[in-house]
Amino acid sequence: DIQMTQSPSSLSASVGDRVTITCQASQDISNYLNWYQQKPGKAPKLLIYDASNLETGVPSRFSGSGSGTDFTFTISSLQPEDIATYYCQQYDNLFTFGPGTKVDIK
Amino acid sequence: QVQLQESGPGLVKPSQTLSLTCTVSGGSISSGSYYWSWIRQPAGKGLEWIGRIYTSGSTNYNPSLKSRVTISVDTSKNQFSLKLSSVTAADTAVYYCAGLLWGVGYGAFDIWGQGTMVTVSS
């Protein structure tokens, strides 16, 4: 089965900062990767699909890139409402989520 | 707009079977593009995919849970269900039902229920 890792596990940044999260798959998954945002007590929300495509209605400050085994998720200018945990998820072989990255405001 | 709602007991005894139902509203569960999934999340931990079903009845399960999981669908009621047998405290989690939009080169959980907390305890 495919394992997913994320780094960092948590981060603190200031409003307006650029935030970058990385996700690595244990084997080549092409671009079969999605990113989700989960706020406390809420269900996850799809932000990015197929590694780099922005889901409808999601602000353009969110973006994703990568293919193969290495992927990046970026918030270009961190906003207070972006406080959440972010998960990557592969769908090349069944479905596996990364362990998550918790983003806080400094 | 399709919405999902989980229902079922919030407390299950060890060794018993956990049973949850997800009701699909605002659209048909037989929409050709969707598989229907269960995902769980222990408190303070990450997300674990449990399994998925298509309205044809075709299923796939997480290998780590496969021996204990059954997912079924009732298209007449616009519902799908989860049964997890021989539960232990490790199965205590928030359980989400989710819609998996599936196609060539596309597979994302873009519809989620609000989640339901299930505690395994005597």
Coordinates of all heavy atoms in Angstrom, one line a residue, chain A residues 5-103:
Chain A
T5 N 3.6 11.0 3.6 CA 4.2 11.7 4.6 C 4.0 13.2 4.3 O 3.9 13.6 3.2 CB 5.7 11.4 4.8 OG1 6.4 11.7 3.6 CG2 5.9 10.0 5.2
Q6 N 3.9 14.0 5.4 CA 3.8 15.5 5.2 C 4.8 16.2 6.1 O 5.1 15.7 7.2 CB 2.4 16.0 5.6 CG 1.3 15.7 4.6 CD 0.0 16.2 5.0 OE1 -1.0 15.5 5.1 NE2 -0.1 17.5 5.3
S7 N 5.3 17.3 5.7 CA 6.1 18.1 6.6 C 5.9 19.6 6.3 O 5.6 20.0 5.1 CB 7.6 17.8 6.4 OG 8.0 18.1 5.1
P8 N 5.9 20.4 7.3 CA 6.1 20.0 8.7 C 4.8 19.4 9.3 O 3.8 19.5 8.6 CB 6.5 21.3 9.4 CG 5.7 22.4 8.6 CD 5.8 21.9 7.2
S9 N 4.8 19.0 10.5 CA 3.6 18.5 11.1 C 2.8 19.7 11.7 O 1.6 19.6 11.8 CB 4.0 17.5 12.3 OG 4.8 18.2 13.2
S10 N 3.5 20.8 12.0 CA 2.8 22.0 12.4 C 3.7 23.2 12.0 O 4.9 23.0 11.9 CB 2.5 22.0 13.9 OG 3.6 21.9 14.6
L11 N 3.0 24.3 11.9 CA 3.8 25.5 11.7 C 3.0 26.8 12.2 O 1.8 26.7 12.2 CB 4.1 25.7 10.2 CG 2.9 25.9 9.2 CD1 2.6 27.4 9.0 CD2 3.2 25.3 7.8
S12 N 3.7 27.8 12.5 CA 3.1 29.1 12.9 C 3.6 30.1 11.9 O 4.9 30.2 11.7 CB 3.5 29.4 14.3 OG 2.8 28.6 15.2
A13 N 2.8 31.0 11.4 CA 3.2 32.0 10.5 C 2.3 33.2 10.7 O 1.2 33.2 11.4 CB 3.0 31.5 9.1
S14 N 2.8 34.3 10.3 CA 2.1 35.6 10.4 C 1.1 35.8 9.3 O 1.3 35.3 8.2 CB 3.1 36.8 10.5 OG 4.0 36.6 11.5
V15 N 0.1 36.6 9.6 CA -0.9 37.0 8.5 C -0.1 37.6 7.4 O 0.7 38.5 7.6 CB -2.0 37.9 9.1 CG1 -2.8 38.5 7.9 CG2 -2.8 37.2 10.1
G16 N -0.4 37.2 6.2 CA 0.3 37.7 5.0 C 1.5 36.9 4.5 O 2.0 37.1 3.4
D17 N 1.9 36.0 5.4 CA 3.1 35.1 5.1 C 2.7 34.1 4.0 O 1.6 33.7 3.8 CB 3.6 34.4 6.3 CG 4.5 35.2 7.2 OD1 4.7 36.4 6.8 OD2 4.9 34.8 8.3
R18 N 3.8 33.7 3.3 CA 3.6 32.6 2.3 C 3.9 31.3 3.1 O 4.9 31.2 3.8 CB 4.6 32.7 1.2 CG 4.6 31.7 0.1 CD 5.6 31.9 -1.0 NE 5.5 31.1 -2.1 CZ 4.8 31.3 -3.2 NH1 4.0 32.4 -3.2 NH2 4.8 30.4 -4.2
V19 N 3.0 30.3 3.0 CA 3.1 29.1 3.7 C 3.2 27.9 2.7 O 2.4 27.9 1.8 CB 1.9 28.9 4.6 CG1 1.8 27.5 5.2 CG2 1.8 29.9 5.8
T20 N 4.2 27.0 3.0 CA 4.4 25.9 2.1 C 4.4 24.6 2.9 O 5.1 24.5 3.9 CB 5.7 26.0 1.3 OG1 5.6 27.2 0.5 CG2 5.9 24.8 0.4
I21 N 3.6 23.6 2.4 CA 3.6 22.3 3.0 C 4.0 21.3 1.9 O 3.6 21.4 0.8 CB 2.1 22.0 3.5 CG1 1.7 23.0 4.6 CG2 2.0 20.6 4.0 CD1 0.2 23.0 4.9
T22 N 4.8 20.3 2.3 CA 5.2 19.3 1.4 C 4.5 17.9 1.7 O 4.2 17.6 2.9 CB 6.7 19.1 1.3 OG1 7.2 18.7 2.6 CG2 7.3 20.4 0.9
C23 N 4.3 17.2 0.7 CA 3.7 15.8 0.9 C 4.5 14.9 0.0 O 4.8 15.2 -1.2 CB 2.3 15.9 0.4 SG 1.4 14.3 0.3
Q24 N 4.9 13.7 0.5 CA 5.6 12.8 -0.2 C 5.0 11.4 -0.2 O 4.5 10.9 0.8 CB 7.1 12.7 0.3 CG 8.0 11.8 -0.5 CD 9.4 11.9 -0.1 OE1 9.8 11.7 1.1 NE2 10.3 12.3 -1.0
A25 N 4.9 10.8 -1.4 CA 4.3 9.5 -1.5 C 5.4 8.4 -1.5 O 6.5 8.7 -2.0 CB 3.5 9.4 -2.8
S26 N 5.1 7.2 -1.0 CA 6.1 6.2 -1.0 C 6.4 5.5 -2.3 O 7.3 4.8 -2.5 CB 5.6 5.1 0.0 OG 4.4 4.5 -0.4
Q27 N 5.6 5.9 -3.3 CA 5.8 5.4 -4.7 C 5.2 6.4 -5.6 O 4.4 7.3 -5.2 CB 5.3 4.0 -4.9 CG 3.8 3.9 -4.8 CD 3.4 2.4 -4.9 OE1 3.7 1.6 -3.9 NE2 2.7 2.0 -5.9
D28 N 5.5 6.3 -6.9 CA 5.0 7.2 -7.9 C 3.5 7.2 -8.0 O 2.9 6.1 -8.2 CB 5.7 6.8 -9.3 CG 5.4 7.9 -10.4 OD1 4.4 8.6 -10.3 OD2 6.1 7.9 -11.4
I29 N 2.9 8.3 -7.8 CA 1.4 8.3 -7.9 C 0.9 9.3 -9.0 O -0.2 9.8 -9.0 CB 0.7 8.7 -6.5 CG1 1.2 10.1 -6.1 CG2 1.0 7.7 -5.5 CD1 0.4 10.7 -4.9
S30 N 1.9 9.6 -9.9 CA 1.6 10.6 -11.0 C 1.0 11.9 -10.4 O 1.7 12.4 -9.5 CB 0.5 10.0 -12.0 OG 0.3 10.8 -13.1
N31 N -0.1 12.3 -10.8 CA -0.7 13.5 -10.2 C -2.0 13.2 -9.4 O -2.8 14.1 -9.2 CB -1.0 14.6 -11.3 CG -2.1 14.1 -12.2 OD1 -2.3 12.9 -12.4 ND2 -2.9 15.1 -12.7
Y32 N -2.1 11.9 -9.0 CA -3.3 11.5 -8.3 C -3.3 11.9 -6.8 O -3.3 11.1 -5.9 CB -3.4 10.0 -8.5 CG -3.6 9.6 -9.9 CD1 -3.3 8.3 -10.3 CD2 -4.1 10.4 -10.9 CE1 -3.4 7.8 -11.6 CE2 -4.2 10.0 -12.2 CZ -3.9 8.7 -12.6 OH -4.0 8.3 -13.9
L33 N -3.3 13.2 -6.6 CA -3.2 13.7 -5.3 C -4.1 14.9 -5.0 O -4.2 15.8 -5.9 CB -1.7 14.2 -5.0 CG -1.5 14.7 -3.6 CD1 -0.8 13.7 -2.7 CD2 -0.9 16.0 -3.5
N34 N -4.8 14.9 -3.9 CA -5.7 16.0 -3.5 C -5.2 16.6 -2.2 O -4.5 16.0 -1.4 CB -7.1 15.5 -3.4 CG -7.6 14.7 -4.6 OD1 -7.4 15.2 -5.7 ND2 -8.2 13.6 -4.4
W35 N -5.7 17.8 -2.0 CA -5.4 18.5 -0.7 C -6.7 19.0 -0.1 O -7.6 19.4 -0.8 CB -4.6 19.8 -0.9 CG -3.1 19.5 -1.3 CD1 -2.6 19.4 -2.6 CD2 -2.1 19.3 -0.4 NE1 -1.3 19.1 -2.5 CE2 -0.9 19.1 -1.2 CE3 -1.9 19.2 1.0 CZ2 0.4 18.8 -0.6 CZ3 -0.7 19.0 1.5 CH2 0.4 18.8 0.7
Y36 N -6.8 18.8 1.3 CA -8.0 19.1 2.0 C -7.7 20.1 3.2 O -6.6 20.0 3.7 CB -8.7 17.9 2.6 CG -9.1 16.9 1.6 CD1 -8.3 16.0 1.0 CD2 -10.5 16.9 1.1 CE1 -8.7 15.1 0.0 CE2 -10.9 16.0 0.1 CZ -10.0 15.1 -0.4 OH -10.4 14.2 -1.4
Q37 N -8.7 20.9 3.5 CA -8.6 21.7 4.7 C -9.6 21.2 5.7 O -10.7 21.0 5.4 CB -8.9 23.2 4.3 CG -8.9 24.2 5.5 CD -9.5 25.5 5.0 OE1 -10.7 25.5 4.7 NE2 -8.7 26.5 5.0
Q38 N -9.1 21.1 7.0 CA -10.1 20.7 8.0 C -10.0 21.7 9.2 O -8.9 21.8 9.8 CB -9.8 19.3 8.5 CG -10.9 18.8 9.5 CD -10.7 17.4 10.0 OE1 -9.6 16.9 10.1 NE2 -11.8 16.7 10.3
K39 N -11.1 22.4 9.5 CA -11.1 23.2 10.6 C -11.6 22.5 11.8 O -12.4 21.5 11.7 CB -12.0 24.5 10.3 CG -11.4 25.3 9.2 CD -12.2 26.6 8.9 CE -11.5 27.4 7.9 NZ -12.2 28.7 7.6
P40 N -11.3 22.9 13.1 CA -11.7 22.1 14.3 C -13.2 21.9 14.3 O -14.0 22.8 14.1 CB -11.2 23.0 15.4 CG -10.1 23.8 14.8 CD -10.5 24.1 13.4
G41 N -13.5 20.6 14.6 CA -14.9 20.2 14.7 C -15.7 20.1 13.4 O -16.9 19.9 13.4
K42 N -15.0 20.3 12.3 CA -15.7 20.3 11.0 C -15.2 19.1 10.1 O -14.1 18.6 10.3 CB -15.5 21.6 10.2 CG -16.0 22.8 11.0 CD -17.5 22.8 11.1 CE -18.0 24.1 11.7 NZ -19.5 24.0 11.8
A43 N -15.9 18.8 9.1 CA -15.5 17.8 8.1 C -14.4 18.5 7.2 O -14.4 19.7 7.0 CB -16.7 17.4 7.3
P44 N -13.6 17.7 6.6 CA -12.6 18.2 5.7 C -13.3 18.8 4.5 O -14.4 18.4 4.1 CB -11.8 16.9 5.3 CG -11.9 16.0 6.4 CD -13.3 16.2 6.9
K45 N -12.6 19.7 3.8 CA -13.1 20.4 2.6 C -12.0 20.3 1.5 O -10.8 20.5 1.7 CB -13.3 21.9 2.9 CG -13.7 22.7 1.7 CD -13.8 24.2 2.1 CE -14.1 25.0 0.9 NZ -14.1 26.5 1.2
L46 N -12.4 19.8 0.3 CA -11.5 19.7 -0.8 C -11.1 21.1 -1.3 O -11.9 21.9 -1.6 CB -12.2 18.9 -1.9 CG -11.5 18.7 -3.2 CD1 -10.2 17.8 -3.0 CD2 -12.4 18.2 -4.3
L47 N -9.8 21.3 -1.4 CA -9.2 22.5 -1.9 C -8.6 22.4 -3.3 O -8.8 23.2 -4.2 CB -8.2 23.1 -1.0 CG -8.6 23.4 0.5 CD1 -7.3 24.0 1.2 CD2 -9.7 24.4 0.5
I48 N -7.8 21.3 -3.4 CA -7.0 21.1 -4.7 C -7.2 19.7 -5.1 O -7.1 18.8 -4.3 CB -5.5 21.4 -4.4 CG1 -5.2 22.8 -3.9 CG2 -4.7 21.1 -5.7 CD1 -5.3 23.9 -4.9
Y49 N -7.5 19.4 -6.4 CA -7.6 18.1 -6.9 C -6.6 17.9 -8.0 O -6.1 18.9 -8.7 CB -9.0 17.7 -7.3 CG -9.5 18.6 -8.5 CD1 -9.4 18.2 -9.8 CD2 -10.2 19.8 -8.2 CE1 -9.9 18.9 -10.8 CE2 -10.7 20.6 -9.3 CZ -10.5 20.1 -10.6 OH -11.0 20.9 -11.6
D50 N -6.2 16.7 -8.3 CA -5.2 16.3 -9.3 C -3.9 17.1 -9.2 O -3.4 17.6 -10.1 CB -5.8 16.5 -10.7 CG -6.9 15.5 -11.0 OD1 -7.2 14.6 -10.1 OD2 -7.6 15.7 -12.0
A51 N -3.5 17.3 -7.9 CA -2.2 18.0 -7.6 C -2.2 19.5 -7.7 O -1.6 20.2 -6.9 CB -1.1 17.4 -8.3
S52 N -2.9 20.0 -8.7 CA -2.7 21.4 -9.0 C -4.0 22.2 -9.4 O -3.9 23.4 -9.7 CB -1.7 21.6 -10.1 OG -2.1 21.0 -11.3
N53 N -5.1 21.5 -9.4 CA -6.4 22.1 -9.8 C -7.2 22.7 -8.7 O -7.5 21.9 -7.7 CB -7.2 21.2 -10.6 CG -6.5 20.8 -11.9 OD1 -6.3 21.6 -12.8 ND2 -6.2 19.5 -12.1
L54 N -7.5 23.9 -8.7 CA -8.3 24.6 -7.6 C -9.8 24.2 -7.7 O -10.4 24.4 -8.8 CB -8.1 26.1 -7.8 CG -8.5 26.9 -6.5 CD1 -7.5 26.6 -5.4 CD2 -8.4 28.4 -6.9
E55 N -10.3 23.7 -6.6 CA -11.7 23.4 -6.6 C -12.5 24.6 -6.7 O -12.1 25.7 -6.2 CB -12.0 22.7 -5.2 CG -13.5 22.3 -5.0 CD -14.0 21.2 -5.8 OE1 -13.4 20.8 -6.8 OE2 -15.1 20.6 -5.5
T56 N -13.7 24.5 -7.3 CA -14.5 25.7 -7.5 C -14.9 26.4 -6.2 O -15.3 25.7 -5.3 CB -15.9 25.3 -8.2 OG1 -15.5 24.6 -9.5 CG2 -16.8 26.5 -8.5
G57 N -14.7 27.7 -6.2 CA -15.1 28.5 -5.0 C -13.9 28.6 -4.0 O -14.1 29.4 -3.1
V58 N -12.8 28.0 -4.2 CA -11.7 28.1 -3.3 C -10.8 29.3 -3.7 O -10.5 29.5 -4.9 CB -10.8 26.8 -3.4 CG1 -9.6 26.9 -2.5 CG2 -11.7 25.6 -2.9
P59 N -10.4 30.1 -2.7 CA -9.7 31.3 -3.0 C -8.4 31.0 -3.7 O -7.7 30.0 -3.5 CB -9.4 31.9 -1.6 CG -10.5 31.4 -0.8 CD -10.8 30.0 -1.3
S60 N -8.0 31.9 -4.6 CA -6.8 31.7 -5.5 C -5.5 31.8 -4.7 O -4.4 31.5 -5.3 CB -6.8 32.7 -6.6 OG -6.8 34.0 -6.1
R61 N -5.5 32.1 -3.4 CA -4.2 32.1 -2.6 C -3.8 30.7 -2.4 O -2.6 30.5 -1.9 CB -4.4 32.9 -1.3 CG -5.4 32.4 -0.4 CD -5.4 33.2 0.9 NE -6.4 32.7 1.9 CZ -7.7 33.0 1.9 NH1 -8.2 33.8 1.0 NH2 -8.5 32.5 2.8
F62 N -4.7 29.7 -2.5 CA -4.3 28.3 -2.4 C -3.8 27.8 -3.7 O -4.4 28.0 -4.8 CB -5.5 27.5 -1.9 CG -6.0 27.9 -0.5 CD1 -7.1 28.7 -0.4 CD2 -5.3 27.5 0.6 CE1 -7.6 29.0 0.9 CE2 -5.8 27.8 1.9 CZ -6.9 28.6 2.0
S63 N -2.7 27.0 -3.7 CA -2.3 26.4 -4.9 C -1.5 25.1 -4.6 O -1.1 24.9 -3.4 CB -1.4 27.3 -5.7 OG -0.2 27.6 -5.0
G64 N -1.4 24.2 -5.6 CA -0.7 23.0 -5.4 C 0.2 22.7 -6.6 O -0.1 23.2 -7.7
S65 N 1.2 21.9 -6.4 CA 2.1 21.5 -7.5 C 2.7 20.2 -7.2 O 2.6 19.7 -6.1 CB 3.1 22.6 -7.8 OG 4.0 22.7 -6.7
G66 N 3.4 19.6 -8.3 CA 4.1 18.4 -8.1 C 3.5 17.2 -8.9 O 2.4 17.3 -9.4
S67 N 4.3 16.2 -9.0 CA 3.9 14.9 -9.6 C 4.9 13.9 -9.2 O 6.0 14.2 -8.7 CB 3.8 15.1 -11.1 OG 5.1 15.3 -11.7
G68 N 4.5 12.6 -9.4 CA 5.4 11.5 -9.1 C 5.3 11.2 -7.6 O 4.3 10.6 -7.1
T69 N 6.3 11.6 -6.8 CA 6.3 11.3 -5.4 C 6.3 12.6 -4.5 O 6.1 12.5 -3.3 CB 7.5 10.4 -5.0 OG1 8.7 11.1 -5.3 CG2 7.5 9.1 -5.7
D70 N 6.6 13.7 -5.1 CA 6.8 14.9 -4.3 C 5.8 16.0 -4.7 O 5.7 16.4 -5.9 CB 8.2 15.4 -4.4 CG 9.2 14.4 -3.9 OD1 9.1 14.1 -2.7 OD2 10.1 14.0 -4.6
F71 N 5.1 16.6 -3.7 CA 4.1 17.5 -3.9 C 4.2 18.7 -3.0 O 4.7 18.5 -1.8 CB 2.7 16.9 -3.8 CG 2.5 15.7 -4.7 CD1 2.9 14.4 -4.4 CD2 1.9 15.9 -6.0 CE1 2.8 13.4 -5.2 CE2 1.7 14.8 -6.8 CZ 2.2 13.6 -6.5
T72 N 3.7 19.8 -3.4 CA 3.7 21.0 -2.6 C 2.4 21.7 -2.6 O 1.7 21.8 -3.6 CB 4.8 22.0 -3.1 OG1 6.1 21.4 -3.1 CG2 4.9 23.3 -2.3
F73 N 2.0 22.2 -1.4 CA 0.8 23.0 -1.2 C 1.2 24.3 -0.7 O 2.0 24.4 0.3 CB -0.2 22.3 -0.2 CG -1.4 23.0 0.2 CD1 -2.5 23.1 -0.6 CD2 -1.4 23.7 1.4 CE1 -3.6 23.8 -0.2 CE2 -2.5 24.4 1.8 CZ -3.6 24.5 1.0
T74 N 0.7 25.4 -1.2 CA 1.1 26.7 -0.9 C -0.1 27.6 -0.6 O -1.1 27.6 -1.3 CB 1.9 27.4 -2.0 OG1 3.1 26.6 -2.2 CG2 2.4 28.8 -1.6
I75 N 0.0 28.4 0.5 CA -0.9 29.5 0.7 C -0.1 30.8 0.5 O 0.9 31.0 1.2 CB -1.5 29.5 2.2 CG1 -2.1 28.1 2.5 CG2 -2.5 30.6 2.3 CD1 -2.6 28.0 3.9
S76 N -0.5 31.5 -0.5 CA 0.4 32.7 -0.9 C 0.4 33.8 0.1 O 1.5 34.5 0.2 CB 0.0 33.2 -2.3 OG -1.3 33.7 -2.2
S77 N -0.7 34.0 0.8 CA -0.8 35.1 1.8 C -1.7 34.6 2.8 O -3.0 34.6 2.7 CB -1.3 36.3 1.1 OG -1.4 37.4 2.1
L78 N -1.2 34.1 4.0 CA -2.0 33.5 5.0 C -3.0 34.5 5.6 O -2.7 35.6 5.9 CB -1.0 33.0 6.1 CG -1.7 32.2 7.2 CD1 -2.2 30.9 6.7 CD2 -0.7 32.0 8.4
Q79 N -4.2 34.0 5.7 CA -5.3 34.8 6.3 C -5.8 34.1 7.6 O -5.6 32.9 7.8 CB -6.5 34.9 5.3 CG -6.1 35.5 4.0 CD -5.6 37.0 4.2 OE1 -6.2 37.8 4.8 NE2 -4.4 37.2 3.7
P80 N -6.3 34.9 8.5 CA -6.8 34.3 9.8 C -7.7 33.1 9.6 O -7.7 32.2 10.4 CB -7.5 35.5 10.5 CG -6.8 36.7 9.9 CD -6.5 36.3 8.5
E81 N -8.5 33.2 8.6 CA -9.5 32.1 8.4 C -8.9 30.8 7.8 O -9.5 29.8 7.6 CB -10.6 32.5 7.4 CG -10.2 32.9 6.0 CD -10.0 34.5 5.9 OE1 -9.5 35.1 6.9 OE2 -10.2 35.0 4.8
D82 N -7.6 30.9 7.5 CA -6.9 29.7 7.0 C -6.3 28.8 8.1 O -5.7 27.7 7.9 CB -5.7 30.1 6.1 CG -6.1 30.9 4.9 OD1 -7.3 30.8 4.5 OD2 -5.3 31.7 4.4
I83 N -6.6 29.2 9.4 CA -6.1 28.3 10.5 C -6.9 27.0 10.4 O -8.1 27.0 10.5 CB -6.4 29.0 11.8 CG1 -5.6 30.4 11.9 CG2 -6.1 28.1 13.0 CD1 -4.2 30.2 11.5
A84 N -6.1 25.9 10.3 CA -6.7 24.6 10.0 C -5.6 23.6 10.0 O -4.4 23.9 10.0 CB -7.5 24.6 8.7
T85 N -6.1 22.3 9.8 CA -5.1 21.3 9.5 C -5.3 20.9 8.0 O -6.4 20.8 7.6 CB -5.3 20.1 10.4 OG1 -5.2 20.5 11.8 CG2 -4.4 18.9 10.1
Y86 N -4.2 20.7 7.3 CA -4.2 20.4 5.9 C -3.7 19.0 5.7 O -2.7 18.6 6.2 CB -3.4 21.4 5.1 CG -4.0 22.8 5.2 CD1 -3.7 23.7 6.3 CD2 -4.9 23.3 4.2 CE1 -4.3 24.9 6.4 CE2 -5.5 24.5 4.3 CZ -5.2 25.3 5.4 OH -5.8 26.6 5.5
Y87 N -4.5 18.3 4.8 CA -4.1 16.9 4.5 C -4.0 16.7 3.0 O -4.8 17.2 2.2 CB -5.3 15.9 5.0 CG -5.5 15.9 6.5 CD1 -6.4 16.7 7.1 CD2 -4.8 15.0 7.3 CE1 -6.7 16.6 8.5 CE2 -5.0 14.9 8.6 CZ -6.0 15.8 9.2 OH -6.2 15.7 10.6
C88 N -2.9 15.9 2.7 CA -2.9 15.4 1.3 C -3.5 14.0 1.3 O -3.6 13.4 2.3 CB -1.4 15.4 0.8 SG -0.3 14.4 1.7
Q89 N -3.9 13.6 0.1 CA -4.6 12.3 -0.1 C -4.3 11.8 -1.5 O -4.5 12.5 -2.5 CB -6.1 12.5 0.1 CG -6.9 11.3 -0.2 CD -7.8 11.5 -1.5 OE1 -8.4 12.6 -1.6 NE2 -7.9 10.5 -2.4
Q90 N -3.8 10.5 -1.5 CA -3.5 9.9 -2.8 C -4.7 9.0 -3.2 O -5.4 8.4 -2.4 CB -2.2 9.1 -2.8 CG -2.2 7.9 -1.9 CD -2.8 6.6 -2.6 OE1 -2.9 6.6 -3.8 NE2 -3.3 5.7 -1.8
Y91 N -4.9 8.9 -4.6 CA -5.9 8.0 -5.0 C -5.4 7.1 -6.2 O -6.1 6.6 -7.0 CB -7.2 8.7 -5.4 CG -7.0 9.7 -6.5 CD1 -7.3 9.4 -7.9 CD2 -6.6 11.0 -6.3 CE1 -7.2 10.3 -8.9 CE2 -6.5 12.0 -7.3 CZ -6.8 11.6 -8.6 OH -6.7 12.5 -9.6
D92 N -4.1 6.9 -6.2 CA -3.5 6.1 -7.3 C -3.8 4.6 -7.0 O -4.1 3.8 -7.9 CB -2.0 6.3 -7.3 CG -1.3 5.4 -8.4 OD1 -1.6 5.6 -9.6 OD2 -0.5 4.5 -8.0
N93 N -3.8 4.2 -5.7 CA -4.1 2.8 -5.3 C -4.9 2.9 -4.1 O -4.4 3.2 -3.0 CB -2.8 2.1 -5.1 CG -3.1 0.6 -4.7 OD1 -4.2 0.2 -4.7 ND2 -2.0 -0.1 -4.4
L94 N -6.2 2.7 -4.2 CA -7.2 3.0 -3.1 C -6.9 4.4 -2.6 O -6.6 5.3 -3.4 CB -7.0 1.9 -2.0 CG -7.3 0.5 -2.5 CD1 -7.2 -0.5 -1.3 CD2 -8.7 0.4 -3.1
F95 N -7.0 4.6 -1.3 CA -7.0 6.0 -0.8 C -6.2 6.0 0.5 O -6.5 5.3 1.4 CB -8.4 6.5 -0.6 CG -9.3 6.3 -1.8 CD1 -10.0 5.1 -1.9 CD2 -9.3 7.2 -2.8 CE1 -10.8 4.9 -3.1 CE2 -10.1 7.0 -4.0 CZ -10.8 5.9 -4.1
T96 N -5.3 7.0 0.6 CA -4.5 7.2 1.8 C -4.3 8.7 2.0 O -4.0 9.4 1.1 CB -3.1 6.5 1.7 OG1 -3.1 5.3 1.1 CG2 -2.4 6.5 3.0
F97 N -4.5 9.1 3.3 CA -4.3 10.4 3.6 C -2.9 10.6 4.3 O -2.4 9.7 5.0 CB -5.4 10.9 4.6 CG -6.7 11.0 4.0 CD1 -7.6 9.9 4.0 CD2 -7.2 12.2 3.5 CE1 -8.9 10.0 3.5 CE2 -8.5 12.3 3.0 CZ -9.3 11.2 3.0
G98 N -2.3 11.8 4.1 CA -1.2 12.1 4.9 C -1.5 12.4 6.3 O -2.7 12.5 6.7
P99 N -0.5 12.5 7.2 CA -0.8 12.7 8.6 C -1.3 14.1 9.0 O -1.8 14.3 10.1 CB 0.5 12.4 9.3 CG 1.5 12.7 8.2 CD 0.9 12.3 6.9
G100 N -1.2 15.0 8.1 CA -1.7 16.4 8.4 C -0.7 17.4 8.8 O 0.4 17.0 9.3
T101 N -0.9 18.6 8.5 CA -0.1 19.8 8.9 C -1.0 20.8 9.5 O -1.9 21.3 8.9 CB 0.7 20.4 7.7 OG1 1.6 19.4 7.1 CG2 1.4 21.6 8.2
K102 N -0.7 21.1 10.8 CA -1.6 22.1 11.5 C -0.9 23.5 11.3 O 0.2 23.7 11.6 CB -1.6 21.7 13.0 CG -2.6 22.6 13.8 CD -2.7 22.1 15.2 CE -3.6 23.0 16.0 NZ -3.8 22.5 17.4
V103 N -1.8 24.4 10.8 CA -1.3 25.8 10.6 C -1.9 26.7 11.6 O -3.2 26.8 11.7 CB -1.7 26.2 9.1 CG1 -1.3 27.6 8.9 CG2 -1.0 25.3 8.1

